[in-house]
Amino acid sequence: MKITSARVVVTCPGRNFVTLVVETDEGVVGIGDATLNGRELAVASYLTDHVIPCLIGRDPARIEDIWQYLYRGAYWRRGPVTMSAIAAVDTALWDIKGKVAGLPLYQLLGGRSRDGVLVYGHANGADLEATVDAVGKYIDMGYKAIRAQSGIPGIDKAYGVGRGDMHYEPADARLPTETVWDTPKYLNFAPKLFEKLRETYGFEHHLLHDVHHRLTPNEAAQLGKALEPYRLFWMEDATPAENQEAFRHIRRHTTTPLAVGEVFNTIWDCKQLIEEQLIDYIRCTVVHAGGITHLRRIADLAALYQVRTGSHGATDLSPVCMGAALHFDTWVPNFGIQEYMRHTEETDAVFPHDYGFEDGFLFCGEAPGHGVTIDEKLAAKYPYDPACLPIARLEDGTLWNW
């Protein structure tokens, strides 16, 4: 079998997605997600101009060799654009391998380690009371784990607080929206939110919280300590992790579990965090961390140090990535949890899939490959619409996107 063609599909059924379609001489087709939020066309160009020409004529079964060729052969290694492009190829090749074998992807990885994948949903509110109500709605839907984010008194348009009940896309404008941030107000408010949530719903459900990299290590340690009585499942992205040693200070001062990694691209971004057990959950994704082939290496390293997976799963990952991630989650032995933001009906129509939600869990299907396809005719009806994520400044104008 040989790869005969490949093409990139860019579509915007509610938000932008980039999809790689790989075709073979035996008629087997595989698809992979290449979406990089706010930088979609950079990956599309990288694939079209630099990667696809290298794929033609290659054996799609040689997944490892092609991964190494694209990673090492480019000379310019790592980075979100390169690794998202490699991930798209890798996911498409695993899809092809599953279809040729007549097996769902998780079987190729080694079979099931669990029956279902525990997921968490996003409960958002404009204020404390609205967030408490939103958490209750997710509990009523059967969720066992809920991320709680709330508007903060005195802060307009807090990042990560959705504007809808189920579907939320933070990329909101062609140029980045500039918002105002106030750390003391946030630190004063966040513990009150979780105090009220535990008072209202008890400790039966898992609660999670995303800090969105807004704190210094010392501020993050203070918040983690303040949240300890409410036993969070995790505190996510407490501080930027380019300097991995920053998490040592947080770890020394709080037992609140720590999660980080959705913006990581390779194992080198989290090697120290894992080996020194500075985190409890690693949040790398299939699409941004080089595909299933590389994510498996990250998970294997994490398993040695009792660090579990908790992959990013926001709407900036297409159903193609989610389908592949669920097969990975079904297999990986050191699984923790999977983020699950629901896509719009338009997105689900463009990307038919066989995974489903029930009683707090997602279940991957049994179709050969990863179980997600793309309706290219429908995708063509939704042209690319540029959108960027917002940035934050302090009240004095200082840029605060750490």
Side-chain angles (χ1 to χ4, degrees):
M1 181 181 289
K2 299 293 182 184
I3 296 172
T4 55
S5 67
R7 61 185 175 276
V8 175
V9 178
V10 180
T11 183
C12 186
R15 63 113 36 241
N16 294 310
F17 297 108
V18 180
T19 307
L20 177 68
V21 181
V22 178
E23 297 178 327
T24 68
D25 58 355
E26 295 185 17
V28 183
V29 177
I31 64 173
D33 184 17
T35 307
L36 183 60
N37 200 355
R39 298 294 184 268
E40 295 90 358
L41 297 187
V43 186
S45 176
Y46 191 99
L47 283 165
T48 300
D49 297 333
H50 305 292
V51 174
I52 288 176
C54 298
L55 297 178
I56 307 305
R58 294 188 180 274
D59 180 355
R62 297 182 62 168
I63 297 176
E64 183 66 41
D65 181 63
I66 291 174
W67 194 97
Q68 297 294 340
Y69 174 85
L70 294 175
Y71 180 79
R72 300 177 186 275
Y75 187 78
W76 307 107
R77 301 180 185 179
R78 305 167 65 182
V81 174
T82 295
M83 298 307 289
S84 295
I86 293 175
V89 175
D90 189 75
T91 302
L93 298 186
W94 278 103
D95 192 28
I96 290 171
K97 186 175 285 287
K99 291 172 179 176
V100 171
L103 293 171
L105 179 51
Y106 74 83
Q107 293 286 18
L108 302 180
L109 296 173
R112 289 185 178 274
S113 293
R114 59 198 48 81
D115 296 325
V117 172
L118 178 67
V119 298
Y120 69 90
H122 286 208
N124 307 293
D127 53 29
L128 187 149
E129 290 76 17
T131 303
V132 172
D133 289 344
V135 169
K137 292 177 182 178
Y138 273 83
I139 291 173
D140 291 343
M141 286 188 288
Y143 283 82
K144 304 179 187 307
I146 305 103
R147 193 188 85 168
Q149 306 290 137
S150 174
I152 302 162
I155 299 180
D156 186 32
K157 298 179 181 178
Y159 180 77
V161 178
R163 296 177 290 276
D165 291 336
M166 297 300 297
H167 311 297
Y168 166 47
E169 174 48 54
D172 61 357
R174 288 175 175 260
L175 294 177
T177 301
E178 297 196 11
T179 61
V180 177
W181 176 253
D182 189 305
T183 298
K185 290 176 181 176
Y186 168 68
L187 290 176
N188 288 334
F189 175 78
K192 297 175 184 177
L193 170 64
F194 287 93
E195 178 182 24
K196 185 63 175 179
L197 286 171
R198 288 306 189 196
E199 177 185 305
T200 304
Y201 301 114
F203 287 80
E204 182 178 352
H205 296 86
H206 299 301
L207 295 178
L208 304 86
H209 184 63
D210 191 348
V211 183
H212 293 113
H213 306 106
R214 294 293 173 91
L215 303 180
T216 66
N218 196 55
E219 291 165 346
Q222 293 174 29
L223 179 60
K225 191 70 174 177
L227 292 174
E228 285 178 12
Y230 314 116
R231 301 211 305 266
L232 268 62
F233 188 94
W234 75 34
M235 180 172 69
E236 176 187 344
D237 291 346
T239 195
E242 287 93 339
N243 176 17
Q244 297 181 41
E245 293 181 0
F247 275 72
R248 287 181 186 166
H249 183 74
I250 307 172
R251 196 60 139 179
R252 289 191 189 108
H253 294 283
T254 181
T255 58
T256 295
L258 303 174
V260 74
E262 71 180 60
V263 299
F264 293 171
N265 308 130
T266 73
I267 198 168
W268 302 105
D269 296 320
C270 53
K271 180 176 179 289
Q272 183 178 5
L273 290 169
I274 290 172
E275 290 179 340
E276 295 187 23
Q277 295 179 295
L278 301 179
I279 58 173
D280 301 278
Y281 297 91
I282 182 65
R283 290 190 25 80
C284 300
T285 68
V286 171
V287 64
H288 297 144
I292 292 165
T293 296
H294 193 63
L295 188 59
R296 186 163 57 170
R297 291 194 172 90
I298 294 173
D300 284 343
L301 174 65
L304 297 178
Y305 298 94
Q306 296 178 300
V307 174
R308 293 186 282 176
T309 66
S311 291
H312 179 60
T315 50
D316 62 333
L317 314 181
S318 88
V320 177
C321 181
M322 180 58 74
L326 291 175
H327 283 272
F328 184 89
D329 296 336
T330 298
W331 158 76
V332 68
N334 53 319
F335 171 76
I337 201 167
Q338 170 68 55
E339 182 178 16
Y340 176 44
M341 285 181 69
R342 295 174 184 243
H343 290 105
T344 63
E345 293 181 2
E346 292 84 358
T347 296
D348 287 338
V350 170
F351 297 97
H353 52 268
D354 66 351
Y355 60 80
F357 174 84
E358 183 180 349
D359 194 28
F361 294 85
L362 278 174
F363 298 87
C364 64
E366 293 294 324
H370 54 52
V372 186
T373 59
I374 182 171
D375 184 334
E376 293 191 54
K377 290 184 178 179
L378 184 57
K381 296 181 180 180
Y382 300 102
Y384 175 72
D385 184 17
C388 292
L389 293 168
I391 64 171
R393 293 183 182 274
L394 299 183
E395 291 181 341
D396 67 0
T398 302
L399 188 67
W400 203 247
N401 280 52
W402 283 90

